[in-house]
């Protein structure tokens, strides 16, 4: 699904923020990207899809998504690939949803733009998805604004929004940040089911090692702008090699005991 070779992120002035690293994602796989704040995990993922802010640039020997080289795609081909096949759930639910545009219009925009169906079909799908993610009054939510919703409700809207075009890859950037522990479990189980039953590949970006251990097949560990370790999840937790990974696993085990 994704194959990145020597991907690097720099500022426009040439300062390196993330050192070159390789990354791949298979079909039906859940891959974790773990790191503390400022470790480079989010901007690394943005770089994979050419979604970095203008102040940053990336380079790579190769950037391939679903067999297509991003650096050689025409703009319309890139928009179609990213707009339809890739779903994104952001970390900051307040900034991601427009406060002055009704939820229904935000959910319809990509669906209609990429010709996935009519507005009527889009509203029907939006209603079904909002119900699926646990919102009890989807019609009220669709006709409302983001500032009228709690953090947990906004996150559920973002989840539904990411599913509107039936993506084959979904990026989960700290997807449970605004959720309580019970809702966190429900959301992650939902994505696990989506992965197992629909074959959607997932990239889970998080600072929560417990989520990495429970839900991912493989994981990449970032530390101070460098990918310091990667392995299948079971091996990573049983036999960590980098000192930073060892410390993180130790803390996780101590929390489990408590």
């Amino acid at each position: 699904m994704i194959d990145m070779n020597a991907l690097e992120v720099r500022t426009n002035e040439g300062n390196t923020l993330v050192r070159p690293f390789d990354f791949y994602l298979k079909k039906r796989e859940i891959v974790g990207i773990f790191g503390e704040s400022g470790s480079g995990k989010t901007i690394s993922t943005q770089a994979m899809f050419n979604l970095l802010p203008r102040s940053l640039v990336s380079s790579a020997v190769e950037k391939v998504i679903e067999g297509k080289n991003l650096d050689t795609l025409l703009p319309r081909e890139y928009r179609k690939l990213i707009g339809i096949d890739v779903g994104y759930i952001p970390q900051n639910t307040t900034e991601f949803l427009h406060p002055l545009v009704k939820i229904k219009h935000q959910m319809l925009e990509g669906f209609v733009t990429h010709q996935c169906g009519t507005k009527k079909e889009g509203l029907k799908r939006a209603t079904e998805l909002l119900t699926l993610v646990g919102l009890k009054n989807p019609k009220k939510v669709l006709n409302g604004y983001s500032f009228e919703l709690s953090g947990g409700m906004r996150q559920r809207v973002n989840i539904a929004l990411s599913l509107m075009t039936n993506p084959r890859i979904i990026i989960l950037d700290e997807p449970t940040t605004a959720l309580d522990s019970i809702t966190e479990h429900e959301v992650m189980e939902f994505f696990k089911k989506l992965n197992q039953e629909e074959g959607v590949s997932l990239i889970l970006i998080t600072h929560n090692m417990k989520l990495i251990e429970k839900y991912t097949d493989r994981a990449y560990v970032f530390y101070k702008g460098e990918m310091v370790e990667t392995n299948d999840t079971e091996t990573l937790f049983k036999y960590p090699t980098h000192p930073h990974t060892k410390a993180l696993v130790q803390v996780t085990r101590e929390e489990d005991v408590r």
Side-chain angles (χ1 to χ4, degrees):
M1 301 294 286
I2 299 176
D3 193 4
M4 301 283 156
N5 188 358
L7 180 64
E8 180 180 10
V9 182
R10 304 180 305 279
T11 65
N12 286 328
E13 292 74 29
N15 298 318
T16 299
L17 296 182
V18 179
R19 297 174 187 175
F21 70 98
D22 298 338
F23 176 93
Y24 70 91
L25 175 72
K26 296 180 180 179
K27 188 175 182 180
R28 293 181 175 273
E29 191 175 36
I30 304 178
V31 167
I33 297 181
F34 174 85
E36 298 166 330
S37 297
S39 62
K41 60 187 185 299
T42 294
I43 60 173
S44 295
T45 309
Q46 291 172 339
M48 294 179 198
F49 300 93
N50 290 350
L51 295 174
L52 286 169
R54 294 180 180 179
S55 59
L56 304 179
V57 294
S58 68
S59 62
V61 173
E62 194 174 45
K63 281 186 185 179
V64 177
I65 298 180
E66 294 190 322
K68 300 174 182 177
N69 191 322
L70 286 194
D71 293 332
T72 61
L73 288 180
L74 296 173
R76 57 181 173 79
E77 294 173 326
Y78 167 78
R79 287 193 297 271
K80 183 178 180 181
L81 175 66
I82 299 300
I84 296 178
D85 288 347
V86 180
Y88 176 62
I89 299 172
Q91 181 176 353
N92 194 325
T93 60
T94 302
E95 294 182 3
F96 191 75
L97 294 171
H98 199 298
L100 301 180
V101 178
K102 286 187 175 181
I103 298 297
K104 65 179 178 182
H105 297 309
Q106 298 185 62
M107 295 193 71
L108 282 174
E109 183 177 11
F111 187 85
V112 175
T113 299
H114 296 296
Q115 300 179 336
C116 296
T118 63
K119 288 185 177 181
K120 183 177 180 181
E121 291 169 335
L123 282 174
K124 181 181 178 182
R125 177 159 178 77
T127 302
E128 292 172 346
L129 287 173
L130 290 176
T131 302
L132 187 64
V133 298
L135 290 172
K136 296 180 180 179
N137 195 336
K139 290 185 178 180
K140 182 179 179 181
V141 172
L142 284 171
N143 285 291
Y145 298 88
S146 62
F147 63 82
E148 298 173 321
L149 306 175
S150 67
M153 293 175 73
R154 284 196 298 269
Q155 189 66 319
R156 289 175 185 268
V157 169
N158 282 323
I159 292 170
L161 182 60
S162 74
L163 299 172
M164 282 293 290
T165 59
N166 283 317
R168 294 159 55 86
I169 301 168
I170 298 180
I171 306 164
L172 314 174
D173 192 354
E174 300 285 6
T176 62
T177 297
L179 308 177
D180 57 49
S181 59
I182 295 176
T183 308
E184 174 186 279
H185 174 77
E186 292 175 349
V187 167
M188 290 309 302
E189 288 297 318
F190 169 79
F191 279 113
K192 183 178 180 181
K193 183 177 180 181
L194 191 69
N195 166 260
Q196 293 176 339
E197 296 185 2
E198 303 297 329
V200 178
S201 299
L202 304 175
I203 300 175
L204 173 62
I205 308 169
T206 183
H207 65 275
N208 188 331
M209 284 288 278
K210 291 183 179 180
L211 291 183
I212 294 288
E213 183 175 23
K214 185 173 181 179
Y215 290 104
T216 67
D217 302 304
R218 289 187 301 108
Y220 294 78
V221 180
F222 278 76
Y223 180 59
K224 293 184 177 181
E226 183 178 3
M227 194 276 288
V228 296
E229 187 165 2
T230 181
N231 216 325
D232 67 88
T233 304
E234 184 177 357
T235 302
L236 188 72
F237 275 81
K238 282 186 176 180
Y239 310 107
T241 59
H242 191 274
H244 183 61
T245 311
K246 290 180 179 179
L248 294 170
V249 171
Q250 179 64 29
V251 170
T252 303
R253 292 292 173 259
E254 290 175 354
E255 290 176 351
D256 289 342
V257 171
R258 288 198 295 267

